[in-house]
Amino acid sequence: MEITPLLREQLLTFQRLEITEHYIYKQLAGIVHPEANSKILEKIAQDELRHYQNWKKYTGVEVKPDSFAIWKYTLVSRLFGFTFGIKLMERGEEKAQVNYGELRQVIPNIDDWIRDENAHEQSLIAMLDEELLQYAGSVVLGLSDALVELTGALAGLTLAFQNTKLVALSGLITGIAAALSMASSEYLSTRSEKTSRSPVRAAIYTGITYILTVTLLILPYLIIQNYYVDLGLALVTAVVVIAVFNYYISVAKDEPFRKRFFEMAGLSLGVAAFSFVLGYLIRQLLGINI
């Protein structure tokens, strides 16, 4: 087979991708638990090394791995869980598989390589037993409830009080009380279910997520004195939190991003708009000035 300059460049790109992923999987294998997960990652690392050697037969040269990619995916996996890091990297592999298919006519045995890549993905899916994903439902509960309730409360309080300190104080008290209430409800709900999840951990995940969301939404009111600007920043923060969280879930659990994002954002902003109008009407009807 004649290797054209363009084809050679493609092969070198694939070769570098394989050796890079070999080192990523090898590093992750040393930090994940339980041992069964580590062994699967070791097996995949060896498969990636074999793929690298196969590409080398056509290019005839050694290729250095992408050090930045190794650092990036290892760091992401440490910060957000190995499931998220691996799935994020696997998205790049899916694109590579499409390119592999384009080379089917010129490189023998490429279908075997594609089958290996698909087997990798199936093995990874089977090993997804991280604690964070087990309690994803509790995180969703705390996040969605905090976003809907507090954006609505802040919008109503902003028009009713028109005082940043009072809004921050009221919002903080409301948020902490609601967080404790939601954590208690999640504890009782999980305890009544036939599940391997710990009721205490489920409550902790719900409560902590709620309090962190409350803190982010109230922060502008503690820094900036213009309550309209604060409300705008709180709403922008809510949308950003929704986007980041749904992107994480879409990658880690292979769920659609757009539908979940617009659903959560629509609920939060809709409740905020209704509460904003309600706060204005109550202020006018009761004639209260603070």
Side-chain angles (χ1 to χ4, degrees), residues 21 43 48 52 54 94 119 147 164 202 214 233:
E21 293 186 349
K43 169 66 168 59
E48 299 291 4
Y52 167 81
N54 287 335
E94 289 175 3
L147 288 169
T164 57
V214 166
L233 289 174

Side-chain angles (χ1 to χ4, degrees), residues 89-130:
M89 185 175 66
E90 282 292 304
R91 288 190 171 190
E93 281 200 19
E94 289 175 3
K95 294 178 182 178
Q97 289 175 24
V98 174
N99 292 327
Y100 287 176
E102 294 173 357
L103 301 176
R104 187 174 288 111
Q105 300 300 320
V106 291
I107 297 181
N109 301 325
I110 196 168
D111 285 327
D112 293 336
W113 299 0
I114 294 175
R115 277 194 294 272
D116 280 345
E117 296 294 340
N118 290 333
H120 291 177
E121 186 176 353
Q122 294 304 316
S123 296
L124 290 169
I125 290 174
M127 63 182 274
L128 299 184
D129 58 353
E130 278 190 294

Side-chain angles (χ1 to χ4, degrees), residues 3 33 38 73 99 108 138 145 174 179 186 196 209 217 226 274:
I3 304 294
H33 300 285
S38 180
Y73 286 115
N99 292 327
S138 299
D145 212 68
T174 301
E186 181 66 357
S196 60
T209 304
L217 294 178
N226 188 313
F274 177 79

Side-chain angles (χ1 to χ4, degrees), residues 28-278:
L28 293 181
I31 62 176
V32 303
H33 300 285
E35 187 179 352
N37 290 346
S38 180
K39 288 182 178 179
I40 292 175
L41 288 176
E42 281 282 4
K43 169 66 168 59
I44 296 173
Q46 292 305 313
D47 288 343
E48 299 291 4
L49 182 61
R50 189 179 72 253
H51 295 161
Y52 167 81
Q53 297 294 344
N54 287 335
W55 290 122
K56 184 182 172 183
K57 292 177 183 177
Y58 292 97
T59 63
V61 296
E62 294 282 354
V63 177
K64 292 183 178 181
D66 185 341
S67 299
F68 176 74
I70 296 172
W71 173 82
K72 179 179 73 172
Y73 286 115
T74 303
L75 178 63
V76 167
S77 297
R78 286 182 179 275
L79 292 177
F80 305 105
F82 75 89
T83 300
F84 178 78
I86 289 172
K87 287 294 186 71
L88 196 62
M89 185 175 66
E90 282 292 304
R91 288 190 171 190
E93 281 200 19
E94 289 175 3
K95 294 178 182 178
Q97 289 175 24
V98 174
N99 292 327
Y100 287 176
E102 294 173 357
L103 301 176
R104 187 174 288 111
Q105 300 300 320
V106 291
I107 297 181
N109 301 325
I110 196 168
D111 285 327
D112 293 336
W113 299 0
I114 294 175
R115 277 194 294 272
D116 280 345
E117 296 294 340
N118 290 333
H120 291 177
E121 186 176 353
Q122 294 304 316
S123 296
L124 290 169
I125 290 174
M127 63 182 274
L128 299 184
D129 58 353
E130 278 190 294
E131 181 176 291
L132 180 57
L133 291 182
Q134 291 178 11
Y135 293 92
S138 299
V139 174
V140 171
L141 179 64
L143 183 69
S144 59
D145 212 68
L147 288 169
V148 172
E149 287 188 12
L150 205 67
T151 51
L154 289 177
L157 292 171
T158 297
L159 253 292
F161 292 158
Q162 298 185 1
N163 182 299
T164 57
K165 300 303 181 185
L166 283 177
V167 173
L169 178 62
S170 302
L172 193 59
I173 294 172
T174 301
I176 293 176
L180 295 174
S181 175
M182 288 301 302
S184 300
S185 298
E186 181 66 357
Y187 172 83
L188 294 174
S189 175
T190 306
R191 189 177 181 184
S192 65
E193 296 174 356
K194 293 182 178 180
T195 176
S196 60
R197 296 193 309 152
S198 165
V200 174
R201 290 189 178 184
I204 290 173
Y205 274 108
T206 299
I208 289 178
T209 304
Y210 202 114
I211 290 175
L212 287 176
T213 306
V214 166
T215 303
L216 288 174
L217 294 178
I218 289 178
L219 192 60
Y221 289 89
L222 300 174
I223 300 174
I224 302 172
Q225 297 302 311
N226 188 313
Y227 48 84
Y228 287 120
V229 173
D230 293 336
L231 178 59
L233 289 174
L235 294 178
V236 170
T237 300
V239 173
V240 171
V241 169
I242 291 170
V244 170
F245 175 74
N246 279 287
Y247 178 73
Y248 177 88
I249 292 297
S250 72
V251 172
K253 301 190 74 174
D254 293 320
E255 294 184 1
F257 168 80
R258 186 171 299 181
K259 181 180 178 181
R260 290 174 58 95
F261 169 74
F262 284 112
E263 186 178 64
M264 287 186 69
L267 282 171
S268 297
L269 297 179
V271 170
F274 177 79
S275 300
F276 189 81
V277 174
L278 186 63

Side-chain angles (χ1 to χ4, degrees), residues 17-35:
L17 176 65
E18 299 293 357
I19 194 61
T20 298
E21 293 186 349
H22 162 73
Y23 282 109
I24 293 172
Y25 281 119
K26 195 169 183 63
Q27 286 201 19
L28 293 181
I31 62 176
V32 303
H33 300 285
E35 187 179 352

